[in-house]
């Protein structure tokens, strides 16, 4: 070849190469390579032969840029390899070298075809092209019918041929074979050597390392190494034609397009997770439970809150209540008087001031006696409490003034007292032997927020109750409605101001329904927050589970990481792969959690538990789970990416 003749520099040129191990951390320093110098031309078929332990593999790792020498110079195609950074070395391995190992070093979880594809994956070749090339290489090596087999389904000879196909995937300009026949029977070994010779004939540079002189005899040049030094060399024999070698590593190397790389990473990640599905699903439990409990707890929290608000506002959100506190000079426990209420009617923010006097009395109808909560109140009560009359009517202000002996029954009281009468209006009931005419029945109100039911009370005019039943004319408590448009707080302040001016001390208590609702809702909120916190903790536990499983994965698959690096994976490729796996675990867990959460929530709803799904909580919990994978997967992924190729390859 003219160009080869013009360019006389060697493909591989090493000078004074040394490699030392140990020396630090207690281990005694050993020098494994002791000044090796060697020139190898493009297209040569070289065997490096030597006894076990003589340093052959060490030399090959350095030649293949899997390891760096302790001293000496290595020029590849005229360029100093010592000046290249890790990514450039990855590029060189990818573009220039193809490795064949004694132990095959195939990725156990991938098929023959996928193993062969790996180098092209990192070179950024398109999927279609990649698959076609891998397939044709396997067919050429007689493995056309083993394409989808996993390594453990192949014989040693077949595995070694898969690894040769992999070495050729990116061109295989320089094939580095370390004891390629070492683990094979003699027939398979011969086949492999024939293959390598054919490749050498086709122009590939082939370097075979072996302890077996018979194997070495197949090569055109034999270099003998003993105790880390070259002791014999049969001399260079350049053959033509030569497969061209790359000239210079690009400083920025182009990888595959991101989507296709991500797809490949996801596919590979999914396979690994599927193979370890029992362990994966145990790990996922934390995340599943975390996400599901966030969703369910927030749903219950929201549901309860809404129920509380709905219940409370059924009694009017614009209501103020006032009751007496402590003893007054006139009636013990009745410091608020009707005169006070008269004064309160002057407050512009108030729409109604409703005095109430209450107590328990026995109500008799026919033979039936019922202990009943009796409430004397104002004629405006139905309006004030937004509580309509269902049958008959309500008493009027005149009834109140005239001490009319009339009563309005609660929905349930009417039913309990007169179960056989569809319409109790017009009947008389006896309370303390005083007959009261029933003039109406209230609509059903439902149970109140507390224990008290509004439906089994008896209502009558305030004055009638005070005079005829309770023997007093001062209110037990007072209900006031705030004018629509006025602020409840302002009204409360105004009432307080008037009362304080009249009494001089605060022997009364003013309550406000809106505030009570808000307080109640707030308790619910803090409850929800607490539950969400518990859920967040279980997410955290789930995250730690992901980290744990990823650390285990990295440890178990260190050799796979080494294989990927040997075939040209950069640090970021490894980082991305393991991060993808971690995120995939979490996304799967998150999805399962969302499904579980929705299922449990729906079941609770079906059982009548108030629950409202919150899209924010669902999306939030899912994103949290995904982020958990990223955060907790990062450390193990970085650990994987930081491994030295030769160290990773050597791991079991
Ligand atoms: P060969 O492949 O010729 O059998 P190696 O290159 O694998 O020999 O090893 C040569 C010597 O270097 C051996 O004595 C081995 O114990 C030593 N060696 C190899 N790797 C390491 C290492 N990482 N740390 C310490 N010693 C090592
Ligand atoms: Mg070896």
């Amino acid at each position: 070849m003219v160009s080869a003749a013009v360019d006389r520099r060697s493909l591989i040129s090493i000078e004074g190469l040394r490699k030392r191990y140990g020396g630090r951390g207690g281990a005694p320093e050993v020098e494994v390579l002791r000044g090796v110098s060697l020139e190898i031309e493009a297209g040569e078929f070289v065997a490096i032969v030597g006894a076990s332990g003589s340093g052959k593999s060490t030399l090959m790792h350095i030649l293949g840029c899997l390891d760096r020498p302790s001293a000496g110079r290595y020029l590849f195609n005229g360029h100093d390899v010592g000046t290249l950074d890790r990514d450039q070395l990855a590029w060189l391995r990818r573009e220039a070298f193809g490795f064949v190992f004694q132990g095959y070093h195939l990725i156990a979880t991938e098929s023959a075809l996928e193993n062969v594809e790996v180098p092209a994956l990192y070179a950024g070749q398109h999927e279609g092209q990649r698959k076609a090339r891998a397939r044709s290489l396997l067919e050429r090596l007689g493995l056309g019918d083993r394409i989808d087999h996993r390594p453990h389904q192949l014989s040693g000879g077949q595995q070694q041929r898969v690894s040769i196909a992999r070495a050729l995937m990116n061109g295989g300009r320089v094939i580095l074979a370390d004891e390629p026949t070492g683990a094979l029977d003699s027939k398979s070994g011969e086949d492999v050597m024939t293959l390598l010779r054919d490749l050498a004939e086709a122009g590939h540079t082939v370097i075979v390392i072996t302890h077996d002189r018979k194997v070495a005899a197949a090569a055109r040049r034999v270099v003998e190494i003993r105790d880390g030094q070259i002791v014999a060399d049969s001399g260079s024999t350049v053959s033509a034609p030569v497969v061209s070698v790359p000239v210079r590593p690009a400083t920025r190397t182009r990888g595959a397009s991101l989507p296709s790389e991500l797809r490949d990473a996801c596919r590979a990640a999914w396979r690994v997770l599927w193979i370890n599905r029992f362990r994966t699903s145990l790990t996922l439990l934390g995340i599943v439970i975390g996400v599901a409990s966030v969703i369910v707890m927030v749903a219950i929290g929201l549901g309860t809150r809404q129920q509380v608000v709905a219940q409370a506002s059924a009694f009017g959100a614009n209501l103020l209540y006032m009751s007496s506190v402590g003893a007054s000079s006139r009636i013990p426990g009745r410091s608020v008087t009707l005169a006070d209420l008269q004064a309160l009617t002057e407050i512009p923010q108030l729409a109604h001031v409703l005095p109430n006097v209450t107590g328990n009395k026995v109500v008799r109808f026919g033979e039936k006696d019922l202990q009943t909560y009796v409430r004397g109140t104002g004629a405006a009560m139905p309006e004030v409490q937004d509580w309509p009359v269902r049958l008959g009517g309500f008493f009027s202000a005149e009834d109140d003034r005239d001490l009319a002996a009339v009563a309005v029954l609660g929905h349930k009281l009417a039913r309990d007292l007169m179960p056989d009468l569809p319409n109790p209006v017009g009947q008389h009931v006896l309370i303390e032997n005083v007959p009261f005419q029933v003039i109406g029945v209230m609509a059903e109100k439902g149970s109140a927020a507390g224990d008290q039911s509004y439906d089994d009370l008896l209502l009558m005019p305030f004055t009638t109750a005070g005079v005829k039943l309770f023997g007093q004319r001062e209110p037990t408590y007072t209900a006031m409605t705030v004018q629509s448009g006025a602020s409840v707080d302002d009204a409360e302040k105004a009432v307080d101001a008037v009362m304080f001016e009249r009494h001089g001390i605060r022997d009364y208590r003013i309550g406000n329904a809106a505030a009570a609702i808000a307080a109640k809702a707030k308790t619910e909120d803090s409850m929800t927050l607490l539950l969400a916190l518990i859920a967040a903790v279980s997410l955290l536990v789930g995250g730690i589970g992901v980290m744990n499983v990823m650390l285990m994965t990295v440890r178990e698959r260190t050799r796979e990481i080494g294989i990927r690096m040997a075939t040209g994976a950069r640090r970021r490729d490894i980082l991305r792969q393991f991060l993808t796996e971690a995120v995939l675990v979490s996304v799967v867990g998150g999805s399962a959690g969302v499904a579980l959460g929705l299922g449990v929530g729906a079941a609770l709803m079906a059982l009548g538990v108030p629950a409202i799904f919150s899209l924010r909580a669902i999306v939030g919990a899912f994103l949290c789970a995904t982020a958990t994978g990223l955060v907790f997967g990062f450390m193990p992924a970085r650990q994987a990416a930081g491994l030295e190729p030769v160290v990773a390859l050597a791991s079991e």
Side-chain angles (χ1 to χ4, degrees), residues 460-482:
M460 62 175 65
F462 172 78
T463 319
T464 310
V467 172
K468 297 197 168 170
L469 293 182
F470 301 114
Q472 67 169 80
R473 303 205 52 145
E474 308 301 352
T476 315
Y477 72 94
T478 307
M480 292 158 275
T481 41
V482 177

Side-chain angles (χ1 to χ4, degrees), residues 52-53 55-58 102 178-179 209:
S52 176
K56 306 182 299 291
S57 295
T58 307
Q102 176 174 0
D178 188 355
E179 308 271 12
I209 279 166

Side-chain angles (χ1 to χ4, degrees), residues 318-333:
N318 62 340
L319 277 179
L320 285 178
Y321 293 97
M322 182 167 67
S323 53
S324 305
V325 178
S328 91
S329 49
R330 282 170 295 152
I331 310 166

Side-chain angles (χ1 to χ4, degrees), residues 76-352:
F76 183 83
N77 213 19
H79 294 281
D80 190 349
V81 171
T83 63
L84 302 181
D85 66 20
R86 287 181 61 135
D87 280 357
Q88 288 170 326
L89 289 176
W91 178 88
L92 198 57
R93 286 196 294 271
R94 197 159 68 222
E95 296 300 323
F97 296 106
F99 296 94
V100 178
F101 298 97
Q102 176 174 0
Y104 326 125
H105 282 351
L106 298 176
I107 298 172
T109 53
E110 312 231 311
S111 71
L113 187 76
E114 287 159 346
N115 265 290
V116 176
E117 278 181 66
V118 170
L121 198 72
Y122 295 120
Q125 199 172 38
H126 278 295
E127 191 180 349
Q129 255 178 317
R130 200 169 73 208
K131 288 213 179 304
R133 176 164 171 79
R135 194 180 294 273
S136 83
L137 278 172
L138 283 170
E139 277 162 6
R140 230 171 80 197
L141 297 184
L143 290 169
D145 55 345
R146 295 286 188 278
I147 276 175
D148 293 322
H149 288 220
R150 298 246 305 269
H152 70 90
Q153 298 164 320
L154 297 171
S155 75
Q158 288 169 334
Q159 289 189 61
Q160 197 59 298
R161 276 184 280 158
V162 172
S163 88
I164 291 172
R166 181 180 62 192
L168 293 171
M169 188 64 193
N170 283 353
R173 280 107 179 164
V174 183
I175 306 265
L176 288 170
D178 188 355
E179 308 271 12
T181 62
L184 301 178
D185 59 275
S186 55
K187 170 75 176 61
S188 308
E190 270 167 40
D191 289 349
V192 165
M193 284 314 291
T194 310
L195 247 171
L196 290 177
R197 191 180 18 235
D198 291 348
L199 290 174
E201 231 111 80
H204 295 264
T205 307
V206 178
I207 303 173
V208 177
I209 279 166
T210 180
H211 65 279
D212 186 342
R213 290 187 176 279
K214 286 205 293 286
V215 172
R220 284 195 289 267
R221 173 183 174 191
V222 178
V223 175
E224 198 176 333
I225 185 169
R226 190 181 301 153
D227 291 336
Q229 282 177 319
I230 291 179
V231 292
D233 188 344
S234 70
S236 179
T237 52
V238 183
S239 74
V242 173
V243 174
S244 69
V245 289
V247 176
R248 214 205 133 67
T251 32
R252 295 286 311 164
T253 59
R254 191 186 65 86
S257 71
L258 190 63
S260 99
E261 235 175 280
L262 276 181
R263 206 176 49 233
D264 278 315
C266 278
R267 184 186 50 76
W270 178 256
R271 175 141 349 133
V272 170
L273 299 178
W274 182 248
I275 287 169
N276 298 312
R277 54 191 172 278
F278 185 65
R279 185 175 83 186
T280 307
S281 46
L282 279 183
T283 313
L284 284 184
L285 269 185
I287 286 195
V288 173
I289 292 172
V291 169
S293 47
V294 168
I295 292 172
V296 171
M297 283 167 181
V298 170
I300 291 178
L302 280 179
T304 318
R305 185 185 207 281
Q306 208 206 41
Q307 201 184 40
V308 165
V309 171
Q311 252 174 16
S313 56
F315 301 97
N318 62 340
L319 277 179
L320 285 178
Y321 293 97
M322 182 167 67
S323 53
S324 305
V325 178
S328 91
S329 49
R330 282 170 295 152
I331 310 166
R334 293 279 185 280
S335 44
V336 179
T337 64
L338 279 177
D340 290 330
L341 301 196
Q342 194 55 50
L344 291 180
T345 55
E346 307 294 319
I347 295 175
Q349 286 99 326
L350 293 183
H352 293 281

